[in-house]
Amino acid sequence: MNTYKESLIDGLEKLLVDPKCFLLGEDVEDPYGGAYTITKGMSTEYPGKVLNTPMSEQGFTGMGVGMALAGYKPIIEIMFGDFSTLIMDQILNHASKFVEGFEKKLHLVVRDPMGGYRGYGATHSQSLEKLYVGLPHIAVITPSVLHEPGDLLVKSMNLGVPVIFAENKLDYTRKMFKAEKIADAFEIRYHGGEFPIAEAGFPDEEAEVTLISYGGLVYPLLNMMYDLYMEEEVAVRLLDVSSLSPMDFDLIYSLVKGDKRIMTIEEGHIPFGIGDGIISNLAQRSMQAQFYSIGAKQHIIGTSKEAEAFALPQMDDVKDMILNG
């Protein structure tokens, strides 16, 4: 698939062929096809499988949990990831507890569009995936332009635990990185199992800094890395983590244990972010390096370009930190 959206649609269609799989959410049926038109045409192609729900995230997520308990494979679409706060009780206090308490696999995926940089304002621009990270029997999966979202979606459904599938809104309009013109300049490697860590760097170049990120920031980071290499001859490599929880800390350590400068970058607010957890784990292994954690400032994400840029990480700031430390 050449685009992120095409890959995601392909994954959804592969799942919906299963008689046990249903997709629930607000305005997901035709003609609307969801807020980002990902499901456009699917309710016609798969009649009775793609279902509009009332505007109650608690209600239709709870219904999805019940369906999963009964052996079905529901996909829940939350229109904006900010509203995933409304389903915390259903996922944490019910679905995740059933997995161990009832010794029962639950096949349930919550598609959760996260992220800002679109001027949507304080309650439609947040990246809240960290709220679900580190909790037992809840997986948090984050596709990017380096990880086929459709493939990760299908694998997520097979995990047997409730999954927060944190898509990024900006990625819906992007090509997969392999289809980009600058992709030939990079060497891309994948490490790990079904939810690998993608490593992007420049062939035969030793990186001065290692970046660790995920999701929607991967695309601008790759472009920033390319510009930095071409303009300043500074080689940087990127580790793109597709599974935030559980996270393979052993694998991350094996990939960075010789590095001297490590930067984590995320859209979510810091401190106490995803990157802070990674840095903490590396430090507990007695790793000696310069660590930097970059994320959203402790401010709401405003609607104006200026207010949004003030709150969210900017590539120019990342570039400056790489060059000047």
Side-chain angles (χ1 to χ4, degrees):
M1 300 295 168
N2 285 332
T3 72
Y4 182 101
K5 185 175 181 178
E6 288 172 348
S7 176
L8 185 58
I9 290 171
D10 181 68
L12 284 169
E13 291 182 335
K14 286 178 179 176
L15 289 174
L16 287 170
V17 170
D18 188 335
K20 292 185 176 181
C21 185
F22 292 82
L23 192 152
L24 313 175
E26 297 163 357
D27 295 323
V28 293
E29 290 184 30
D30 290 336
Y32 196 45
Y36 312 99
T37 66
I38 302 299
T39 60
K40 193 173 183 64
M42 290 186 189
S43 62
T44 301
E45 186 174 356
Y46 305 97
K49 305 292 298 293
V50 179
L51 306 172
N52 281 345
T53 65
M55 193 180 295
S56 174
E57 285 78 6
Q58 300 97 321
F60 61 78
T61 301
M63 179 180 173
V65 173
M67 292 171 68
L69 276 172
Y72 291 95
K73 298 179 180 180
I75 306 164
I76 307 299
E77 179 176 312
I78 305 298
M79 190 173 287
F80 285 89
D82 310 70
F83 307 144
S84 61
T85 56
L86 300 171
I87 66 170
M88 175 67 82
D89 189 48
Q90 285 74 14
I91 298 300
L92 175 61
N93 288 328
H94 296 86
S96 72
K97 302 298 186 287
F98 298 152
V99 173
E100 183 175 342
F102 292 174
E103 296 183 349
K104 185 177 181 63
K105 289 187 176 182
L106 289 187
H107 299 283
L108 169 69
V109 175
V110 179
R111 291 184 49 236
D112 222 2
M114 299 286 187
Y117 301 102
R118 293 186 64 160
Y120 284 175
T123 60
H124 291 71
S125 305
Q126 299 167 101
S127 295
L128 301 179
E129 53 273 3
K130 73 175 183 179
L131 298 181
Y132 290 88
V133 166
L135 298 172
H137 309 301
I138 299 175
V140 180
I141 306 300
T142 53
S144 75
V145 294
L146 288 178
H147 294 283
E148 292 282 348
D151 180 54
L152 295 188
L153 184 69
V154 173
K155 291 175 179 175
S156 294
M157 183 59 81
N158 294 328
L159 281 176
V161 298
V163 177
I164 301 298
F165 196 78
E167 303 158 13
N168 187 278
K169 293 190 281 286
L170 287 183
D171 279 339
Y172 293 142
T173 60
R174 288 169 173 160
K175 296 178 182 178
M176 297 304 296
F177 188 65
K178 63 186 179 185
E180 294 285 351
K181 291 181 180 179
I182 65 171
D184 289 342
F186 287 82
E187 181 178 19
I188 310 295
R189 299 177 180 177
Y190 291 87
H191 308 275
E194 289 192 315
F195 300 93
I197 293 174
E199 177 186 4
F202 298 97
D204 304 318
E205 293 284 357
E206 184 176 351
E208 297 184 25
V209 181
T210 293
L211 311 179
I212 304 176
S213 191
Y214 63 89
L217 283 179
V218 168
Y219 176 84
L221 284 171
L222 288 167
N223 281 275
M224 181 273 297
M225 289 166 57
Y226 179 80
D227 292 342
L228 199 57
Y229 184 61
M230 294 300 174
E231 296 168 4
E232 305 288 345
E233 297 184 351
V234 173
V236 177
R237 72 166 178 155
L238 169 68
L239 299 182
D240 172 14
V241 181
S242 65
S243 177
L244 300 186
S245 190
M247 185 175 286
D248 194 339
F249 289 111
D250 290 337
L251 178 57
I252 292 175
Y253 177 68
S254 72
L255 293 171
V256 304
K257 60 184 178 181
D259 295 353
K260 300 303 181 184
R261 297 178 68 200
I262 297 172
M263 299 171 58
T264 64
I265 303 124
E266 62 199 285
E267 275 194 57
H269 288 88
I270 58 170
F272 308 108
I274 304 297
D276 293 325
I278 293 172
I279 291 170
S280 172
N281 187 275
L282 295 174
Q284 290 178 60
R285 296 170 187 257
S286 300
M287 182 173 173
Q288 300 296 313
Q290 288 183 309
F291 295 112
Y292 310 85
S293 177
I294 299 173
K297 296 184 180 71
Q298 284 288 304
H299 293 275
I300 65 172
I301 302 168
T303 304
S304 72
K305 288 184 178 180
E306 293 78 11
E308 192 174 56
F310 175 75
L312 293 175
Q314 302 298 308
M315 289 302 107
D316 285 345
D317 294 333
V318 177
K319 187 176 181 179
D320 181 67
M321 187 170 289
I322 292 171
L323 292 173
N324 302 310

